[in-house]
Amino acid sequence: MTHTPTPARLRGLAEAADLSRTPVDITAVLDHLVAEADTAVPTSIGFPGAVDLDHREVMARLGHRLWNNIGDPTDTGGTPHTRILEQAVIAWLADTLHMPTDDRWGYVTTGGTEGNLSALHAARRRLPTARIYYSTAAHYSIPKIIEMLGARGVVVNASADGEMDYDHLAVRVRRHRRWPAIVVATAGTTMTEAVDDTTRIHTILDEHDVPGRHVHVDAALSGIPLALDGRLRLDDDSGIGSITVSGHKFLGVPTPCGVVLIRDSLRREGTPVTYTATLDSTVTGSRCGLAAALLWHAIATHGREGHRWRVSEARRLATYTVDRLTAAGWPAWRHPHAFTVVLPTPPATVRTKWLLATDADISHLICMPGVTQGQIDAFVTDLTDTTAPASSPDPGHPHPPRPIPHPRRASSPAAGIGTP
Ligand SMILES: Cc1ncc(COP(=O)(O)O)c(C=O)c1O
């Protein structure tokens, strides 16, 4: 079974979905889409969407009408909306992060990217001349947002394991120390799930006496797991001004969404809009109330303890995966807190079947909640079958694994974002 739809299957779907042909067989098109997705699931282990939660109750009860949380999340009027649930989600996440109750604000976004945009926009309004520092392992949305804001970005090296290179940050800050600094730390980099250390970032900003600062944490994947551990905190001591998490990653919400939280004292209030009777404080105007309800439901059905258990099970499977791959002669590693397992890029035959994420020599799979030991075993079997010595002389069958950059401290605890 392969996850990649063949060109013939794609052509068939495109023809069936062609709206210039009438009548369109709607049932056939939807059946086709669902069948493709169902076929892909068992071998989709490279992207960070949990698949263990059941969201059908919300889809069934709310999916038939528009729920529009237009404008500020604290407003209460307007057309049918789910702002009450949105506020509950914001409060739960802010509490989990130990954010001061009198200095918090946030809303449900379309995803991690919008959260980063909202937070960096707020930071830049307060510090218009700031340089925005981000590492080479930061998400691709960061340089795009800097460009959209017309801001000045400063790129900092990341080490082989994906964490920011603080010596290089110090060099870059020294050079630009006349300007305020907005620093984007990542909690869970896209390829290796590395966590940048905000304490070390603050120390460097202190040493260079920068005239104003904002530290934003892009925690799309790892924000909720690390917050549940108590390792990621937005209390007064953390000095963190804002954070973004994705909703379709750890909580597996079946529509892209996320949450941004910003210290209320670090942002400007939105402007009133008369005809919507709301404050314009969010990046988009209309906002998806269904996403807020889905997030609320995912949190409510499991609670903090249930989600902690999901985190520990996912990490247990990630540890097992590293052991299995290493025993099979395929040198894999992970950060101790991570669901992500990094390995040398498997041969194309394996990657055609298994949906991994690949960046040149390294690939990753992610043991998100819902990924099973059976999937991992099947993957390792395919990998070892393809690279077994008997098949090596065949040029169509690739090589045994090549070494990958050795992580600096893959066995040390997660770096000190709010280390308790
Ligand atoms: C570190 C990081 N930030 C931001 C994002 C963007 O999230 P979204 O796709 O929800 O916009 C991702 C997505 O993979 C990510 O890994």
Side-chain angles (χ1 to χ4, degrees):
M1 179 170 39
T2 155
H3 76 271
T4 313
T6 61
R9 289 217 303 269
L10 279 179
R11 251 196 324 277
L13 177 58
E15 274 168 28
D18 183 351
L19 292 171
S20 67
R21 288 158 40 130
T22 49
V24 178
D25 188 344
I26 294 170
T27 306
V29 170
L30 297 182
D31 284 350
H32 192 128
L33 276 178
V34 171
E36 287 291 345
D38 286 346
T39 306
V41 165
T43 52
S44 295
I45 53 173
F47 287 89
V51 287
D52 61 326
L53 301 188
D54 189 342
H55 308 274
R56 280 175 294 190
E57 186 182 2
V58 179
M59 298 304 267
R61 299 286 301 277
L62 305 187
H64 67 292
R65 64 146 45 113
L66 174 66
W67 302 91
N68 191 345
N69 291 5
I70 188 167
D72 195 90
T74 58
D75 286 330
T76 49
T79 53
H81 61 82
T82 65
R83 290 201 202 90
I84 294 293
L85 306 188
E86 179 175 22
Q87 287 165 24
V89 168
I90 299 303
W92 182 87
L93 188 59
D95 286 346
T96 307
L97 286 159
H98 300 271
M99 215 172 167
T101 48
D102 60 351
D103 193 14
R104 53 166 73 165
W105 179 87
Y107 73 96
V108 170
T109 63
T110 53
T113 300
E114 184 187 335
N116 286 334
L117 175 57
S118 174
L120 293 178
H121 180 235
R124 182 130 193 287
R125 277 174 121 186
R126 193 169 60 83
L127 303 167
T129 59
R131 273 37 181 170
I132 304 183
Y133 299 82
Y134 63 99
S135 92
T136 49
H139 188 252
Y140 61 84
S141 61
I142 302 298
K144 180 171 61 183
I145 289 166
I146 292 171
E147 192 194 358
M148 288 166 76
L149 294 176
R152 300 235 181 157
V154 180
V155 187
V156 177
N157 292 339
S159 59
D161 67 4
E163 191 175 338
M164 186 179 276
D165 175 341
Y166 306 103
D167 292 336
H168 193 231
L169 175 67
V171 170
R172 302 299 258 163
V173 171
R174 188 171 312 128
R175 172 124 192 253
H176 299 277
R177 65 182 177 280
R178 275 186 293 147
W179 291 283
I182 297 171
V183 184
V184 179
T186 309
T189 58
T190 312
M191 274 313 284
T192 68
E193 212 179 319
V195 177
D196 294 334
D197 185 336
T198 53
T199 306
R200 293 186 71 177
I201 290 169
H202 275 296
T203 304
I204 290 163
L205 299 180
D206 288 343
E207 282 166 3
H208 293 88
D209 207 14
V210 293
R213 71 180 69 172
H214 181 106
V215 174
H216 168 67
V217 179
D218 176 0
L221 169 59
S222 307
I224 296 175
L226 291 177
L228 289 167
D229 288 345
R231 290 189 223 188
L232 177 53
R233 300 166 73 97
L234 258 72
D235 54 14
D236 286 330
D237 290 344
S238 73
I240 298 171
S242 53
I243 187 169
T244 309
V245 303
S246 280
H248 50 285
K249 293 191 168 107
F250 178 68
L251 295 176
V253 168
T255 185
C257 62
V259 174
V260 62
L261 292 172
I262 306 175
R263 300 287 289 239
D264 202 28
S265 55
L266 300 182
R267 67 177 197 104
R268 246 195 257 160
E269 199 167 69
T271 41
V273 179
T274 322
Y275 76 95
T276 60
T278 63
L279 288 178
D280 179 24
S281 51
T282 55
V283 171
T284 64
S286 292
R287 297 187 302 106
C288 183
L290 186 60
L294 286 160
L295 282 166
W296 173 85
H297 179 263
I299 293 166
T301 48
H302 287 71
R304 280 200 187 85
E305 275 319 303
H307 288 300
R308 279 197 188 102
W309 183 83
R310 295 176 65 235
V311 170
S312 67
E313 284 301 291
R315 287 182 183 145
R316 190 194 54 73
L317 186 62
T319 308
Y320 171 85
T321 305
V322 170
D323 291 347
R324 282 277 286 147
L325 284 166
T326 309
W330 202 272
W333 62 272
R334 61 183 272 273
H335 290 282
H337 61 273
F339 305 152
T340 303
V341 173
V342 185
L343 65 157
T345 294
T349 42
V350 174
R351 281 183 288 128
T352 306
K353 174 172 172 181
W354 292 91
L355 185 59
L356 307 173
T358 295
D359 182 6
D361 284 352
I362 65 162
S363 294
H364 76 213
L365 63 89
I366 311 194
C367 296
M368 292 305 292
V371 172
T372 64
Q373 192 168 311
Q375 284 172 281
I376 298 301
D377 290 341
F379 171 68
V380 176
T381 301
D382 280 349
L383 195 56
T384 46
D385 283 356
T386 314
T387 55
S391 63
S392 303
D394 177 354
H397 284 76
H399 50 77
R402 272 172 287 149
I404 49 176
H406 193 66
R408 222 169 4 131
R409 344 178 265 204
S411 59
S412 68
I417 273 205
T419 307

